[in-house]
Amino acid sequence: MKLDARRDPSAGDARTDHDLVYAARDGDTMAFDALFYRYRDGIFRLGLAITKDPSAAEEIVVDTFARAHRALARLEPDASLRPWLYRVAVNLSYNRRPRKGVVLSSLDDAVDEALANEDGSPSHVAEQAELRRLVLAAVDELGPKHRLVVVLHYLNGLNLTEIAQVVDCPVGTVKSRLHYALRRLRTHLAAHPELGIEPRRPLIATGLRAPKPIPAPVPLEGGE
Amino acid sequence: MKLFSRGCESDQAAYLSRADRLGPWERIALEAHAASCAECADALRNSRSVDAALRGAFAPLRAQRTMIAPGRVRLAVGPPSAAPTNPWLRAPRLFGRLMEASLMVAVTLFAVGTSLDLSTRPSQSLTPTHSVVQQYFRAQPPAGDIDYLRWLRLVKADASSTVSEPTIFPGGRF
């Protein structure tokens, strides 16, 4: 147990979420800290993407883990605690979404802060920043359900099954939402040729599938 | 009934080819289909561009980190409660609370009951309190001398008395 006491939780813990939850339930604070360090950045990014407010995102991290701490006795993670934590974080984030009239920094500002540390020529950095701003603005124009699926997949790296667990709906619904979101983004981003995305063409222009002609009614035998 | 053609049904699979983590056989089948379907070929080609644009746009955000310490969570949760978890150990306290509550209810009911009693008293005065027999015996003069005089004074002083004027029998003891 001395080794446990000396272990630095922020350095990472090889134990699974299941083991850490059971250890935390028995009063092992280091196990709970290991869970915290494992997921705090992902929850912070998720909260930031939804609320667009870094301080609110930090509060969401704290509130999410506070709920996890209170629910330790009930938690039964099969493999990963991530879907449960992310679901709580999504609910908390939507409860804290900025009200109308409140101007908050958008994702673009967060990107700018990140790009400030990026290497490269100033013109290249500026060009990349502009492209990213365009893409994120297009993501912001999506509806909340579609934006959430895009954020969970492209920002948090969740696969479709995990997203379905987080948003509590079938995988088919997640696929449908992501498909719709990607089509909408393609339509939006096709206006910027520097991204190399072609606009969608109508079906007839592709030379495909002309609508099937309605067959003439077949006269019934023995009629009249 | 479909009024509009929705295009190829593999369009969704083409858009989700990156996100859905298709197996090798599924990927080969999709690409074989796209070779003969211009719509799916177009979707497959452009979904890669959209996918790359999104991954590039979210890349700086993925590098964002926070410096929150787990101590903030402990502060939010609060100190562990020292209360015993066994419900039987909390029974005396619960019993005491129940006693307090029942005493409060009893006192309240007593106060309300007495106030209601006072309020109904005037209405009781409206009803006759004396029976006819009582009135008759009250009207009779007492036998003793002193009592008789006292009674006579009282009867005269009572203005609301319905007792008839006492008659002094002639040739009596006085």
Side-chain angles (χ1 to χ4, degrees), chain B residues 1-7 9:
Chain B
M1 185 178 121
K2 286 183 181 177
L3 291 176
F4 301 99
S5 171
R6 295 185 63 191
E9 289 178 358

Side-chain angles (χ1 to χ4, degrees), chain A residues 17-31:
Chain A
D17 287 0
H18 183 269
D19 295 341
L20 288 173
V21 166
Y22 274 86
R25 196 179 290 176
D26 293 338
D28 183 359
T29 55
M30 301 294 278

Side-chain angles (χ1 to χ4, degrees), chain A residues 14-220:
Chain A
R15 287 180 286 178
T16 62
D17 287 0
H18 183 269
D19 295 341
L20 288 173
V21 166
Y22 274 86
R25 196 179 290 176
D26 293 338
D28 183 359
T29 55
M30 301 294 278
F32 188 79
D33 290 357
L35 281 171
F36 178 83
Y37 286 117
R38 187 174 288 179
Y39 293 115
R40 72 169 178 182
D41 290 328
I43 293 171
F44 174 73
R45 283 180 224 127
L46 180 61
L48 184 62
I50 295 174
T51 63
K52 300 173 184 175
D53 181 4
S55 59
E58 289 190 348
E59 285 177 15
I60 286 162
V61 174
V62 173
D63 288 353
T64 302
F65 280 98
R67 287 197 182 192
H69 194 275
R70 289 190 201 105
L72 272 176
R74 302 193 309 271
L75 281 178
E76 292 288 344
D78 295 331
S80 171
L81 193 61
R82 188 161 67 164
W84 188 91
L85 287 172
Y86 277 36
R87 191 190 306 176
V88 172
V90 166
N91 291 335
L92 289 172
S93 302
Y94 276 109
N95 289 339
R96 283 171 192 261
R97 266 193 307 178
R99 292 174 189 160
K100 285 180 182 174
V102 178
V103 180
L104 294 170
S105 62
S106 69
L107 283 178
D108 305 347
D109 298 339
V111 171
D112 288 344
E113 287 171 20
L115 284 172
N117 301 323
E118 200 168 271
D119 295 331
S121 66
S123 62
H124 175 73
V125 170
E127 189 182 341
Q128 291 298 311
E130 183 58 29
L131 291 178
R132 283 168 180 153
R133 195 170 288 119
L134 283 173
V135 175
L136 292 177
V139 171
D140 271 347
E141 285 183 19
L142 294 172
K145 288 178 182 174
H146 300 103
R147 188 169 63 228
L148 178 61
V149 173
V150 169
V151 164
L152 286 172
H153 181 65
Y154 286 99
L155 178 61
N156 292 99
L158 270 64
N159 61 37
L160 300 183
T161 312
E162 287 174 321
I163 294 172
Q165 288 174 346
V166 171
V167 299
D168 200 19
C169 69
V171 180
T173 308
V174 173
K175 283 185 182 180
S176 171
R177 286 180 188 172
L178 190 58
H179 175 223
Y180 176 84
L182 292 177
R183 280 169 61 130
R184 282 285 305 271
L185 286 172
R186 181 188 168 183
T187 309
H188 277 277
L189 299 176
H192 307 283
E194 60 270 25
L195 286 167
I197 298 169
E198 302 164 9
R200 292 184 67 208
R201 286 172 293 179
L203 290 179
I204 296 169
T206 60
L208 275 178
R209 295 176 186 265
K212 288 179 183 174
I214 299 168
V218 180
L220 295 171

Side-chain angles (χ1 to χ4, degrees), chain B residues 22-134:
Chain B
L22 296 175
W25 292 111
E26 290 169 315
R27 185 171 293 279
I28 288 168
L30 180 64
E31 285 176 359
H33 170 75
S36 61
C37 176
E39 189 189 349
C40 286
D42 176 61
L44 200 57
R45 190 171 57 250
N46 283 287
S47 69
R48 284 174 188 157
S49 304
V50 173
D51 189 85
L54 283 168
R55 286 185 197 283
F58 280 111
L61 289 168
R62 274 199 298 276
Q64 283 230 328
R65 301 194 182 284
T66 178
M67 297 302 291
I68 308 170
R72 275 186 67 179
V73 179
R74 291 196 198 100
L75 277 176
V77 171
S81 61
T85 52
N86 189 351
W88 291 108
L89 295 176
R90 285 182 292 180
R93 188 186 293 178
L94 180 70
F95 184 71
R97 286 288 168 92
L98 278 174
M99 287 288 289
E100 278 179 25
S102 56
L103 193 65
M104 281 174 62
V105 169
V107 168
T108 309
L109 284 176
F110 175 74
V112 170
T114 49
S115 65
L116 284 176
D117 190 27
L118 285 172
S119 66
T120 54
R121 193 164 286 174
S123 65
Q124 284 178 352
S125 67
L126 294 175
T127 57
T129 53
H130 305 295
S131 67
V132 176
V133 178
Q134 281 178 326

